[in-house]
Each structure stands twice: as structure tokens, then as C-alpha cells.
Amino acid sequence: MLAALTITTTLSGCGTGAADGVTLKLVAADYGSTDANTSEKYWNDLARAYEKKTPGVKVQVTVLSWKDVDREVAEMVERGEAPDMAQIGAYADYARDGKLYPIDNLVSVPTQANFLPMLRQAGEVDRVQYGLPFGASTRMLFFNEKLFEKAGAEPPADWDALQKAAAKLKAKDVKFPFALPLGSEESQAETMMWLLGGGGGYRDTTGTSYQIDSPANVETMTWLKEELVGKGLTGPVAPGDLDRQQAFDAFVRGEVGMLNGHPTLMETAEKAGVKVGTVPLPGVDGKAKATLGVADWMMAFKQNGHRKEIGEFLDFVYTDKNVLEFSDRYDLLPVTVTASDAMEADAQHAALRPFLEELAGSELYPVGETSWAKVSESVKKNIGRAVAPDGNPRAVLEEIARDARSAEASTSAR
């Protein structure tokens, strides 16, 4: 369930004279899929490299699986044993509770200014940045070129073309013409991509409140129910029972005609012999207004009082060399301007350029809202019913919207 590693090493503050006897504790998520590519190795190599720079500071790193890391950190904080740093999925609750250092009191000005603007803004609560983005990705429509050629289908630019391509794939006995994972694993992501394609989204245009049961969102889920699921174009597994990893695994096996994917899947599929084509996410009447952008977060807890040492260590973490090494290792997009420019200019990363281009105009989850965690859980729990044969898209979205209003009310009362 977890891969844990404690590294005791000497770190340096780049000439700033960090005090002797300080031990920094970092809890980080594991991006690896096997023991061979666990994130332990990344952090181990990074800590050893930093060891040569700064005597007097030790770092203890614990790497946990994504299934455990957010819960484990929450339990540490609840026990009064917060780590100095956590690299996990969400920061807003800790920021609103006053447990985190603001970034402008932590890292150097060049480090803070180098984050991609939309990611830097996403790390803010009440216009103060607390979350440092750590690893980003975007989504595009993936299609199996061999299956498309066999079916005589064209890469779709809008939903009508997508439905027609899926019908051609079905006629050629493709198991999943369009894989639609609306199961509990990560259906908040799949849902957001479709809502954006229909001109809607989770939040209103001002970003001040949820609009989950908006007319545009109802129309989107109704289209999915009637035009894809209802016409048997999503495969033998009901979307509400299909998790993202199941869909990705089926794509790698060559059983899926189309799905919404990220860069890691592209490399995995091509290594398995699947020739992958990509196009921007289709929308109801052309390209979707935006694609989904995703970032994970690094944060620094105040509890142990190691602001200076934490900041110096994070300045090192976010150098171009380290950002690019992490991005290369796990097929993610860099979170800084200079590392992104370096990746875009590198011919070896040509396949990632479309994802880099999409990132600038992407929309992220409303991670700065403490209500988002509860809203996300409601989406994951309920959205599959919206496209079921006996489902009512409007009623399901209204139910999620009620959960969102309740979550907002409970967090505003804190």
C-alpha cells in the first residue's frame, strides 16, 4: 500500500548558513506504477545532490501511494505531527486553517515568479499563494489510428463527428468505441472535460459559485446519455462502473477506439504497440472552450517553524534541472516558465508540445475552494447515474448541486 523511504542527508541552503540540527520532514506522493519507477528514487537522488550544497540540515522523506497520501497527511496534521512539507493533491483546507506558510514568505522571488501564471493563481486562497504546483498535465482526445483506419473514421472536431466515428467503430466490432469512465476513481475529471465541451463547467464564468445544474451542463449530460451511451457506443461496461484505469488499460490492449487521455497514457500505449493519434477535445459545435488542466501541490506547514530551511530546499527543488527530470520521468508537464520553454524547444519532447500548448488555456479544478473536496466526492459518487438507461441527468446534477451548496455553506461558516 505504501512505499516509504527515510533519507537522512545533509542539505545546504545555497550559502545562507542554515542552522545545524534541523531535520525537515517531507511526505510525497508516489507517481511510479512499479517498484522500478517509484518516486523514492527521484527524491533520493535529489536529496543526495542537495547534500553537497548545505551542511547542517537533514531531510526525512516518506513516499506514499496516491491512495494513501492525502489521508495520511490529514491524520498527521490532526495528531499535531504535521510534516514540514507535503506534496499531495490539495492544500486549501490547510491554508484556510492557518497551517501553511504563504509562498511569498517562503521561497525566493525568482522561484515564485517562475511558476506558470495560471498555476500560480490556482495555488491561491483569498489571493494569497499557499500551494506550489508540482507536476501538471492536460487532456486531449486519444484515438487508435489502426482502428480508425479500419473503420474509415475521421478524427472528430466536434461531438457530432465524435458520435459518427464511434458508430463506425462499433460497426467494426470495436469493444469500446468511446471509453467513458464515469466510475468512482476519477469521474470528476471526465465529467469536467465534457462540461467544458458543452460550454459549461463546475463554476460560473466569474468563478464565484458553482453552476453544476446549469442548462448547459444538463444538455451535456443528456447528450452523453442519449447519443453515446443510449446508442451503445461506450462499450460493454456501464460508464458508472468503468474506472479511468480500466479504460486506460483497455486502450493499451487495443480495445478502445477513443477516450480522453493524458501524456502518460500516450507513451504507455505506444510502448505496447498502439499507434496513438491525438486531437484537441471536441466540443458541442467545435473545439471545446478549454481542456482540463491538472496540477498537484507542494505546501509547507508552519508547525515546526522551519520556514528558512524549507524555503531554501524548495528553491533547489524548483530549479530547471530538477523540474525537468521529474517531468521526464513521469511524462508530466513542467510547472515553471523556464522549464516549459526548455521542454518545448527540445525535439525529444515533440510529442508533448500539443499538451504544452493546451495547458495555457486549460481550466483547473477549483482547488482553492475548501468546498471542492466534498463536491468532487459527490460527482464521483453520483455522476454515473446521470447517463444510466433509467437515469435523469437533470435530477442527478441537481443533487450534486445541492451537495455543492451545502459544502460551500459549511466552509463559509468556519
Side-chain angles (χ1 to χ4, degrees):
M1 292 176 61
L2 62 84
L5 176 65
T6 301
I7 304 169
T8 302
T9 186
T10 324
L11 301 176
S12 105
C14 304
T16 59
D20 288 343
V22 171
T23 298
L24 300 178
K25 296 181 179 179
L26 167 65
V27 177
D30 192 355
Y31 288 77
S33 56
T34 66
D35 290 342
N37 68 348
T38 174
S39 298
E40 288 178 353
K41 187 176 187 306
Y42 171 80
W43 288 111
N44 187 26
D45 292 344
L46 185 147
R48 288 182 176 177
Y50 195 50
E51 176 182 31
K52 299 176 181 179
K53 293 179 175 287
T54 314
V57 179
K58 296 181 179 180
V59 174
Q60 293 179 345
V61 180
T62 301
V63 177
L64 302 173
S65 75
W66 270 113
K67 290 184 178 180
D68 302 316
V69 66
D70 288 283
R71 173 181 52 79
E72 290 279 353
V73 170
E75 291 176 357
M76 291 175 192
V77 174
E78 184 69 22
R79 294 194 303 265
E81 300 172 358
D84 294 282
M85 295 164 285
Q87 185 271 299
I88 53 178
Y91 65 88
D93 281 343
Y94 302 123
R96 290 197 182 276
D97 289 342
K99 297 182 183 299
L100 302 181
Y101 285 116
I103 301 310
D104 58 5
N105 292 337
L106 192 68
V107 298
S108 67
V109 172
T111 296
Q112 185 178 8
N114 197 27
F115 291 119
L116 293 168
M118 53 90 69
L119 296 179
R120 183 173 66 245
Q121 185 176 3
E124 295 178 353
V125 172
D126 296 332
R127 299 189 178 182
V128 177
Q129 186 183 357
Y130 294 94
L132 295 87
F134 194 91
S137 68
T138 54
R139 303 293 190 264
M140 298 187 72
L141 179 76
F142 286 28
F143 62 95
N144 183 313
E145 291 190 358
K146 181 178 180 180
L147 295 180
F148 261 61
E149 182 179 353
K150 182 179 179 181
E154 295 292 330
D158 58 29
W159 288 358
D160 183 62
L162 185 150
Q163 195 265 1
K164 287 181 169 61
K168 290 182 177 181
L169 291 162
K170 180 183 179 182
K172 292 296 183 179
D173 297 322
V174 174
K175 187 173 183 179
F176 294 89
F178 189 99
L180 183 67
L182 295 179
S184 61
E185 180 190 350
E186 197 158 338
S187 55
Q188 82 282 5
E190 186 73 20
T191 301
M192 183 169 172
M193 285 181 269
W194 284 100
L195 299 185
L196 291 172
Y202 288 129
R203 305 283 282 181
D204 62 22
T205 55
T206 66
T208 57
S209 61
Y210 290 100
Q211 61 161 16
I212 293 170
D213 56 350
S214 69
N217 290 347
V218 172
E219 289 178 10
T220 292
M221 299 310 297
T222 301
W223 187 90
L224 281 174
K225 178 179 184 292
E226 295 178 354
E227 298 299 323
L228 283 189
V229 181
K231 294 183 177 180
L233 302 178
T234 54
V237 181
D241 296 327
L242 185 67
D243 283 340
R244 183 186 66 170
Q245 193 59 53
Q246 291 175 287
F248 283 10
D249 290 346
F251 187 79
V252 171
R253 293 194 300 267
E255 299 173 351
V256 174
M258 296 176 280
L259 51 60
N260 296 326
H262 56 57
T264 304
L265 174 62
M266 181 171 61
E267 181 174 0
T268 303
E270 289 181 344
K271 285 181 178 178
V274 176
K275 191 173 181 181
V276 181
T278 61
V279 292
L281 294 186
V284 62
D285 55 5
K287 179 183 175 182
K289 71 173 185 178
T291 187
L292 171 67
V294 177
D296 300 316
W297 302 96
M298 177 75 77
M299 62 213 69
F301 288 89
K302 294 179 178 179
Q303 179 179 315
N304 302 316
H306 296 148
R307 180 186 63 81
K308 180 181 178 182
E309 292 82 5
I310 294 170
E312 292 167 352
F313 178 66
L314 291 177
D315 280 336
F316 180 74
V317 169
Y318 283 97
T319 59
D320 283 356
K321 176 181 180 296
N322 291 324
V323 171
L324 286 168
E325 183 178 346
F326 183 83
S327 300
D328 282 341
R329 189 171 297 192
Y330 298 108
D331 299 306
L332 294 168
L333 304 180
V335 296
T336 63
V337 173
T338 52
S340 294
D341 289 345
M343 177 176 281
E344 188 170 10
D346 187 351
Q348 293 184 349
H349 294 105
L352 291 177
R353 286 173 185 162
F355 295 92
L356 286 167
E357 293 171 1
E358 292 290 322
L359 182 61
S362 65
E363 288 194 20
L364 279 74
Y365 303 129
V367 291
E369 302 294 331
T370 55
S371 57
W372 169 242
K374 293 181 179 178
V375 175
S376 175
E377 284 303 313
S378 181
V379 174
K380 289 189 283 189
K381 177 183 176 182
N382 295 303
I383 198 63
R385 293 189 289 109
V387 299
D390 59 349
N392 184 326
R394 182 184 300 277
V396 171
L397 291 175
E398 288 175 346
E399 181 178 349
I400 298 170
R402 287 193 296 271
D403 289 342
R405 290 192 291 270
S406 175
E408 281 191 305
S410 64
T411 55
S412 63
R414 291 168 64 178

PDB file of all heavy atoms in Angstrom, residues 6-34:
ATOM      1  N   THR A   6      13.091   6.696   4.261  1.00  0.00           N
ATOM      2  CA  THR A   6      13.605   7.765   5.100  1.00  0.00           C
ATOM      3  C   THR A   6      15.020   8.060   4.675  1.00  0.00           C
ATOM      4  O   THR A   6      15.877   7.193   4.681  1.00  0.00           O
ATOM      5  CB  THR A   6      13.598   7.345   6.587  1.00  0.00           C
ATOM      6  OG1 THR A   6      12.267   7.039   6.943  1.00  0.00           O
ATOM      7  CG2 THR A   6      14.131   8.470   7.458  1.00  0.00           C
ATOM      8  N   ILE A   7      15.223   9.279   4.253  1.00  0.00           N
ATOM      9  CA  ILE A   7      16.535   9.699   3.791  1.00  0.00           C
ATOM     10  C   ILE A   7      17.121  10.637   4.829  1.00  0.00           C
ATOM     11  O   ILE A   7      16.517  11.641   5.155  1.00  0.00           O
ATOM     12  CB  ILE A   7      16.427  10.442   2.445  1.00  0.00           C
ATOM     13  CG1 ILE A   7      15.716   9.555   1.428  1.00  0.00           C
ATOM     14  CG2 ILE A   7      17.785  10.860   1.948  1.00  0.00           C
ATOM     15  CD1 ILE A   7      15.338  10.315   0.186  1.00  0.00           C
ATOM     16  N   THR A   8      18.261  10.302   5.344  1.00  0.00           N
ATOM     17  CA  THR A   8      18.940  11.212   6.241  1.00  0.00           C
ATOM     18  C   THR A   8      20.172  11.703   5.520  1.00  0.00           C
ATOM     19  O   THR A   8      21.066  10.949   5.221  1.00  0.00           O
ATOM     20  CB  THR A   8      19.357  10.491   7.544  1.00  0.00           C
ATOM     21  OG1 THR A   8      18.196   9.962   8.133  1.00  0.00           O
ATOM     22  CG2 THR A   8      20.032  11.452   8.493  1.00  0.00           C
ATOM     23  N   THR A   9      20.156  12.966   5.191  1.00  0.00           N
ATOM     24  CA  THR A   9      21.235  13.515   4.397  1.00  0.00           C
ATOM     25  C   THR A   9      21.498  14.942   4.797  1.00  0.00           C
ATOM     26  O   THR A   9      20.683  15.572   5.444  1.00  0.00           O
ATOM     27  CB  THR A   9      20.893  13.426   2.901  1.00  0.00           C
ATOM     28  OG1 THR A   9      22.017  13.836   2.145  1.00  0.00           O
ATOM     29  CG2 THR A   9      19.718  14.299   2.544  1.00  0.00           C
ATOM     30  N   THR A  10      22.623  15.466   4.410  1.00  0.00           N
ATOM     31  CA  THR A  10      22.984  16.827   4.759  1.00  0.00           C
ATOM     32  C   THR A  10      22.636  17.740   3.616  1.00  0.00           C
ATOM     33  O   THR A  10      23.004  17.477   2.500  1.00  0.00           O
ATOM     34  CB  THR A  10      24.487  16.916   5.007  1.00  0.00           C
ATOM     35  OG1 THR A  10      24.889  15.737   5.629  1.00  0.00           O
ATOM     36  CG2 THR A  10      24.826  18.069   5.878  1.00  0.00           C
ATOM     37  N   LEU A  11      21.859  18.753   3.906  1.00  0.00           N
ATOM     38  CA  LEU A  11      21.404  19.656   2.879  1.00  0.00           C
ATOM     39  C   LEU A  11      21.983  21.038   3.106  1.00  0.00           C
ATOM     40  O   LEU A  11      22.245  21.437   4.207  1.00  0.00           O
ATOM     41  CB  LEU A  11      19.874  19.750   2.900  1.00  0.00           C
ATOM     42  CG  LEU A  11      19.171  18.417   2.686  1.00  0.00           C
ATOM     43  CD1 LEU A  11      17.692  18.594   2.825  1.00  0.00           C
ATOM     44  CD2 LEU A  11      19.524  17.864   1.337  1.00  0.00           C
ATOM     45  N   SER A  12      22.117  21.774   2.003  1.00  0.00           N
ATOM     46  CA  SER A  12      22.695  23.087   2.173  1.00  0.00           C
ATOM     47  C   SER A  12      21.785  24.167   1.678  1.00  0.00           C
ATOM     48  O   SER A  12      20.974  23.964   0.824  1.00  0.00           O
ATOM     49  CB  SER A  12      24.035  23.134   1.475  1.00  0.00           C
ATOM     50  OG  SER A  12      24.050  23.799   0.315  1.00  0.00           O
ATOM     51  N   GLY A  13      21.865  25.345   2.268  1.00  0.00           N
ATOM     52  CA  GLY A  13      20.969  26.445   1.947  1.00  0.00           C
ATOM     53  C   GLY A  13      21.561  27.401   0.964  1.00  0.00           C
ATOM     54  O   GLY A  13      21.278  28.586   1.030  1.00  0.00           O
ATOM     55  N   CYS A  14      22.404  26.926   0.058  1.00  0.00           N
ATOM     56  CA  CYS A  14      22.961  27.747  -1.008  1.00  0.00           C
ATOM     57  C   CYS A  14      23.672  28.961  -0.452  1.00  0.00           C
ATOM     58  O   CYS A  14      23.470  30.093  -0.889  1.00  0.00           O
ATOM     59  CB  CYS A  14      21.857  28.160  -1.988  1.00  0.00           C
ATOM     60  SG  CYS A  14      20.967  26.766  -2.689  1.00  0.00           S
ATOM     61  N   GLY A  15      24.474  28.747   0.582  1.00  0.00           N
ATOM     62  CA  GLY A  15      25.281  29.822   1.117  1.00  0.00           C
ATOM     63  C   GLY A  15      24.574  30.680   2.138  1.00  0.00           C
ATOM     64  O   GLY A  15      25.083  31.723   2.537  1.00  0.00           O
ATOM     65  N   THR A  16      23.360  30.288   2.596  1.00  0.00           N
ATOM     66  CA  THR A  16      22.630  31.130   3.522  1.00  0.00           C
ATOM     67  C   THR A  16      22.881  30.752   4.971  1.00  0.00           C
ATOM     68  O   THR A  16      22.365  31.394   5.870  1.00  0.00           O
ATOM     69  CB  THR A  16      21.121  31.041   3.243  1.00  0.00           C
ATOM     70  OG1 THR A  16      20.715  29.680   3.374  1.00  0.00           O
ATOM     71  CG2 THR A  16      20.802  31.547   1.850  1.00  0.00           C
ATOM     72  N   GLY A  17      23.655  29.680   5.196  1.00  0.00           N
ATOM     73  CA  GLY A  17      24.022  29.329   6.564  1.00  0.00           C
ATOM     74  C   GLY A  17      22.892  28.760   7.372  1.00  0.00           C
ATOM     75  O   GLY A  17      22.566  29.245   8.445  1.00  0.00           O
ATOM     76  N   ALA A  18      22.211  27.714   6.889  1.00  0.00           N
ATOM     77  CA  ALA A  18      21.131  27.103   7.637  1.00  0.00           C
ATOM     78  C   ALA A  18      21.635  26.557   8.957  1.00  0.00           C
ATOM     79  O   ALA A  18      22.743  26.071   9.082  1.00  0.00           O
ATOM     80  CB  ALA A  18      20.509  25.972   6.802  1.00  0.00           C
ATOM     81  N   ALA A  19      20.795  26.637   9.967  1.00  0.00           N
ATOM     82  CA  ALA A  19      21.214  26.248  11.311  1.00  0.00           C
ATOM     83  C   ALA A  19      21.462  24.757  11.401  1.00  0.00           C
ATOM     84  O   ALA A  19      20.798  23.958  10.754  1.00  0.00           O
ATOM     85  CB  ALA A  19      20.135  26.658  12.311  1.00  0.00           C
ATOM     86  N   ASP A  20      22.434  24.361  12.228  1.00  0.00           N
ATOM     87  CA  ASP A  20      22.724  22.954  12.445  1.00  0.00           C
ATOM     88  C   ASP A  20      21.576  22.312  13.212  1.00  0.00           C
ATOM     89  O   ASP A  20      20.857  22.950  13.979  1.00  0.00           O
ATOM     90  CB  ASP A  20      24.020  22.792  13.245  1.00  0.00           C
ATOM     91  CG  ASP A  20      25.233  23.142  12.424  1.00  0.00           C
ATOM     92  OD1 ASP A  20      25.108  23.187  11.184  1.00  0.00           O
ATOM     93  OD2 ASP A  20      26.301  23.381  13.021  1.00  0.00           O
ATOM     94  N   GLY A  21      21.434  21.006  13.017  1.00  0.00           N
ATOM     95  CA  GLY A  21      20.493  20.241  13.810  1.00  0.00           C
ATOM     96  C   GLY A  21      19.049  20.302  13.346  1.00  0.00           C
ATOM     97  O   GLY A  21      18.190  19.826  14.062  1.00  0.00           O
ATOM     98  N   VAL A  22      18.747  20.876  12.182  1.00  0.00           N
ATOM     99  CA  VAL A  22      17.374  20.948  11.688  1.00  0.00           C
ATOM    100  C   VAL A  22      17.087  19.735  10.813  1.00  0.00           C
ATOM    101  O   VAL A  22      17.861  19.412   9.915  1.00  0.00           O
ATOM    102  CB  VAL A  22      17.144  22.245  10.889  1.00  0.00           C
ATOM    103  CG1 VAL A  22      15.783  22.219  10.202  1.00  0.00           C
ATOM    104  CG2 VAL A  22      17.254  23.456  11.801  1.00  0.00           C
ATOM    105  N   THR A  23      15.972  19.078  11.088  1.00  0.00           N
ATOM    106  CA  THR A  23      15.521  17.959  10.263  1.00  0.00           C
ATOM    107  C   THR A  23      14.187  18.326   9.637  1.00  0.00           C
ATOM    108  O   THR A  23      13.223  18.608  10.344  1.00  0.00           O
ATOM    109  CB  THR A  23      15.362  16.677  11.097  1.00  0.00           C
ATOM    110  OG1 THR A  23      16.625  16.307  11.646  1.00  0.00           O
ATOM    111  CG2 THR A  23      14.850  15.536  10.237  1.00  0.00           C
ATOM    112  N   LEU A  24      14.159  18.347   8.322  1.00  0.00           N
ATOM    113  CA  LEU A  24      12.935  18.629   7.581  1.00  0.00           C
ATOM    114  C   LEU A  24      12.246  17.321   7.215  1.00  0.00           C
ATOM    115  O   LEU A  24      12.889  16.385   6.749  1.00  0.00           O
ATOM    116  CB  LEU A  24      13.246  19.415   6.304  1.00  0.00           C
ATOM    117  CG  LEU A  24      13.916  20.777   6.472  1.00  0.00           C
ATOM    118  CD1 LEU A  24      14.192  21.391   5.098  1.00  0.00           C
ATOM    119  CD2 LEU A  24      13.065  21.704   7.316  1.00  0.00           C
ATOM    120  N   LYS A  25      10.950  17.283   7.421  1.00  0.00           N
ATOM    121  CA  LYS A  25      10.175  16.093   7.092  1.00  0.00           C
ATOM    122  C   LYS A  25       9.282  16.394   5.894  1.00  0.00           C
ATOM    123  O   LYS A  25       8.480  17.327   5.921  1.00  0.00           O
ATOM    124  CB  LYS A  25       9.323  15.665   8.284  1.00  0.00           C
ATOM    125  CG  LYS A  25      10.163  15.242   9.485  1.00  0.00           C
ATOM    126  CD  LYS A  25       9.294  14.807  10.652  1.00  0.00           C
ATOM    127  CE  LYS A  25      10.161  14.374  11.833  1.00  0.00           C
ATOM    128  NZ  LYS A  25       9.338  13.957  12.999  1.00  0.00           N
ATOM    129  N   LEU A  26       9.450  15.589   4.862  1.00  0.00           N
ATOM    130  CA  LEU A  26       8.673  15.733   3.631  1.00  0.00           C
ATOM    131  C   LEU A  26       7.890  14.457   3.377  1.00  0.00           C
ATOM    132  O   LEU A  26       8.454  13.361   3.396  1.00  0.00           O
ATOM    133  CB  LEU A  26       9.599  16.009   2.442  1.00  0.00           C
ATOM    134  CG  LEU A  26       8.987  15.883   1.041  1.00  0.00           C
ATOM    135  CD1 LEU A  26       7.910  16.941   0.811  1.00  0.00           C
ATOM    136  CD2 LEU A  26      10.072  15.970  -0.028  1.00  0.00           C
ATOM    137  N   VAL A  27       6.587  14.597   3.142  1.00  0.00           N
ATOM    138  CA  VAL A  27       5.749  13.488   2.704  1.00  0.00           C
ATOM    139  C   VAL A  27       5.379  13.749   1.250  1.00  0.00           C
ATOM    140  O   VAL A  27       4.877  14.833   0.920  1.00  0.00           O
ATOM    141  CB  VAL A  27       4.479  13.357   3.563  1.00  0.00           C
ATOM    142  CG1 VAL A  27       3.602  12.223   3.030  1.00  0.00           C
ATOM    143  CG2 VAL A  27       4.849  13.100   5.020  1.00  0.00           C
ATOM    144  N   ALA A  28       5.643  12.787   0.379  1.00  0.00           N
ATOM    145  CA  ALA A  28       5.426  12.980  -1.055  1.00  0.00           C
ATOM    146  C   ALA A  28       4.626  11.823  -1.632  1.00  0.00           C
ATOM    147  O   ALA A  28       4.684  10.692  -1.135  1.00  0.00           O
ATOM    148  CB  ALA A  28       6.768  13.099  -1.785  1.00  0.00           C
ATOM    149  N   ALA A  29       3.888  12.115  -2.688  1.00  0.00           N
ATOM    150  CA  ALA A  29       3.104  11.102  -3.380  1.00  0.00           C
ATOM    151  C   ALA A  29       3.983  10.318  -4.342  1.00  0.00           C
ATOM    152  O   ALA A  29       4.954  10.835  -4.893  1.00  0.00           O
ATOM    153  CB  ALA A  29       1.963  11.760  -4.143  1.00  0.00           C
ATOM    154  N   ASP A  30       3.626   9.058  -4.541  1.00  0.00           N
ATOM    155  CA  ASP A  30       4.368   8.193  -5.445  1.00  0.00           C
ATOM    156  C   ASP A  30       3.718   8.216  -6.825  1.00  0.00           C
ATOM    157  O   ASP A  30       2.575   7.816  -6.997  1.00  0.00           O
ATOM    158  CB  ASP A  30       4.387   6.763  -4.901  1.00  0.00           C
ATOM    159  CG  ASP A  30       5.376   5.875  -5.633  1.00  0.00           C
ATOM    160  OD1 ASP A  30       5.976   6.349  -6.614  1.00  0.00           O
ATOM    161  OD2 ASP A  30       5.555   4.724  -5.214  1.00  0.00           O
ATOM    162  N   TYR A  31       4.466   8.691  -7.827  1.00  0.00           N
ATOM    163  CA  TYR A  31       3.972   8.755  -9.197  1.00  0.00           C
ATOM    164  C   TYR A  31       4.317   7.496  -9.987  1.00  0.00           C
ATOM    165  O   TYR A  31       3.870   7.359 -11.127  1.00  0.00           O
ATOM    166  CB  TYR A  31       4.552   9.976  -9.909  1.00  0.00           C
ATOM    167  CG  TYR A  31       3.981  11.285  -9.431  1.00  0.00           C
ATOM    168  CD1 TYR A  31       4.404  11.844  -8.229  1.00  0.00           C
ATOM    169  CD2 TYR A  31       3.023  11.965 -10.166  1.00  0.00           C
ATOM    170  CE1 TYR A  31       3.881  13.050  -7.777  1.00  0.00           C
ATOM    171  CE2 TYR A  31       2.494  13.163  -9.728  1.00  0.00           C
ATOM    172  CZ  TYR A  31       2.923  13.698  -8.533  1.00  0.00           C
ATOM    173  OH  TYR A  31       2.399  14.883  -8.082  1.00  0.00           O
ATOM    174  N   GLY A  32       5.116   6.622  -9.415  1.00  0.00           N
ATOM    175  CA  GLY A  32       5.507   5.419 -10.132  1.00  0.00           C
ATOM    176  C   GLY A  32       4.411   4.383 -10.142  1.00  0.00           C
ATOM    177  O   GLY A  32       3.541   4.352  -9.267  1.00  0.00           O
ATOM    178  N   SER A  33       4.449   3.518 -11.127  1.00  0.00           N
ATOM    179  CA  SER A  33       3.471   2.435 -11.231  1.00  0.00           C
ATOM    180  C   SER A  33       4.041   1.101 -10.761  1.00  0.00           C
ATOM    181  O   SER A  33       3.294   0.148 -10.551  1.00  0.00           O
ATOM    182  CB  SER A  33       2.990   2.306 -12.679  1.00  0.00           C
ATOM    183  OG  SER A  33       4.090   2.114 -13.561  1.00  0.00           O
ATOM    184  N   THR A  34       5.359   1.028 -10.602  1.00  0.00           N
ATOM    185  CA  THR A  34       6.019  -0.190 -10.126  1.00  0.00           C
ATOM    186  C   THR A  34       7.146   0.199  -9.185  1.00  0.00           C
ATOM    187  O   THR A  34       7.511   1.376  -9.066  1.00  0.00           O
ATOM    188  CB  THR A  34       6.611  -0.997 -11.293  1.00  0.00           C
ATOM    189  OG1 THR A  34       7.679  -0.237 -11.892  1.00  0.00           O
ATOM    190  CG2 THR A  34       5.561  -1.306 -12.349  1.00  0.00           C
TER     191      THR A  34
END
